[in-house]
């Protein structure tokens, strides 16, 4: 799942993850699950509170540990399951690092023509999900800038053949119907 902060990639990724054989893995959720007392938890707060990306090596290491733990626990079968990645890779370097471990079959690019929608969704989420990084307009701007500059080039990296644009300006149900139509086709 690919898109700007607030694009709905998490919402739809979670629903997809409920389909048997699919497993939703949100990098932001894994980071938020860390304790602020552990070193990586502190690093996460330091970067995310400024709208910046956590350094690549730390991010990929954490992702590897997390997926390994899921595999050992029998919750993920890497040979048979489809991993619905959400929030990772977030730059081209991460995409290159992940190439060793993944066979990326499709990128669902959640895009909105309405920039104001994104900001509104983020501000609503700040209160509902207790997301401090969404509460401050300066941090939101910084995250959107990071997305434009560092994350968007990932689309070119994967290329037109596997990138599918999904317009998210309709209702969540309409958007999910588009996501499902693609999943069935693929
Ligand atoms: P959103 O859903 O708004 O896109 P996430 O929950 O995915 O936000 O991520 C929140 C924050 O966690 C990011 O702003 C960033 O600081 C950090 N983060 C999440 N995923 C990554 C990643 N792949 N690489 C680096 N930092 C990340």
């Amino acid at each position: 799942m690919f898109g700007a902060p607030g694009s709905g990639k998490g919402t739809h990724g979670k629903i997809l993850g409920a389909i048997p054989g699919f497993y939703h893995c949100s990098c932001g959720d894994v980071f938020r699950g860390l304790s602020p007392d552990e070193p990586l938890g502190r690093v996460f707060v330091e970067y995310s509170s400024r709208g910046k990306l956590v350094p690549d090596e730390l991010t990929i290491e954490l992702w590897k540990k997390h997926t390994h733990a899921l595999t050992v626990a029998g919750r993920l079968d890497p040979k048979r399951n489809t991993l619905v990645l959400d929030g990772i890779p977030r730059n081209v370097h991460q995409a290159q690092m992940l190439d060793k471990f993944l066979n990326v079959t499709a990128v669902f690019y959640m895009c909105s023509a309405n920039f104001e929608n994104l900001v509104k969704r983020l501000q609503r989420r700040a209160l509902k999900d207790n997301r401090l990084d969404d509460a401050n307009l300066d941090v939101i701007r910084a995250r959107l800038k990071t997305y434009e500059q560092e994350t968007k080039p990932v689309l070119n990296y994967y290329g037109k053949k596997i990138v599918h644009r999904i317009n998210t300006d309709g209702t969540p149900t309409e958007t999910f119907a588009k996501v499902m139509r693609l999943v069935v086709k693929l």
Side-chain angles (χ1 to χ4, degrees):
M1 304 302 288
F2 188 94
S7 61
K9 60 187 175 357
T11 304
H12 297 291
K14 254 185 223 142
I15 311 176
L16 272 187
I19 301 173
F22 284 66
Y23 194 95
H24 174 236
C25 175
S26 152
C27 192
D29 284 350
V30 178
F31 274 130
R32 278 184 290 276
L34 296 171
S35 154
D37 294 333
E38 47 187 313
L40 190 52
R42 279 197 294 274
V43 174
F44 164 66
V45 172
E46 184 193 324
Y47 283 88
S48 62
S49 63
R50 290 184 291 132
K52 301 261 182 226
L53 298 182
V54 177
D56 297 340
E57 274 70 20
L58 297 176
T59 301
I60 302 299
E61 246 345 276
L62 178 71
W63 177 83
K64 268 166 56 186
K65 261 198 205 151
H66 180 71
T67 44
H68 180 67
L70 289 172
T71 309
V72 171
R75 291 172 60 195
L76 174 71
D77 179 348
K79 286 208 175 78
R80 301 173 61 186
N81 292 163
T82 298
L83 203 50
V84 182
L85 288 182
D86 162 6
I88 187 168
R90 245 178 158 100
N91 61 28
V92 171
H93 184 224
Q94 289 185 9
Q96 287 164 337
M97 291 171 86
L98 285 175
D99 271 349
K100 267 191 265 161
F101 311 106
L102 296 172
N103 167 28
V104 181
T105 48
V107 177
F108 288 9
Y109 172 25
M110 313 299 283
C111 51
S112 164
N114 186 341
F115 181 77
E116 290 305 308
N117 269 353
L118 281 185
V119 177
K120 268 193 226 138
R121 271 190 215 158
L122 288 174
Q123 288 178 313
R124 266 202 309 270
R125 186 169 77 175
L127 297 174
K128 206 175 111 247
D129 297 343
N130 200 15
R131 289 271 308 254
L132 294 177
D133 52 343
D134 289 334
N136 179 311
L137 211 51
D138 286 338
V139 181
I140 292 182
R141 279 199 202 101
R143 296 173 70 209
L144 293 171
K145 192 166 153 207
T146 301
Y147 169 73
E148 287 295 327
Q149 291 179 343
E150 298 181 46
T151 308
K152 255 192 166 169
V154 169
L155 289 172
N156 263 342
Y157 178 78
Y158 286 123
K160 281 204 179 88
K161 270 197 197 137
I162 61 165
V163 172
H164 306 272
R165 274 178 94 98
I166 295 174
N167 183 291
T168 58
D169 289 324
T171 64
T173 316
E174 283 162 352
T175 302
F176 191 65
K178 291 178 198 163
V179 171
M180 274 316 292
R181 269 199 291 277
L182 262 172
V183 172
V184 171
K185 213 163 88 189
L186 292 167

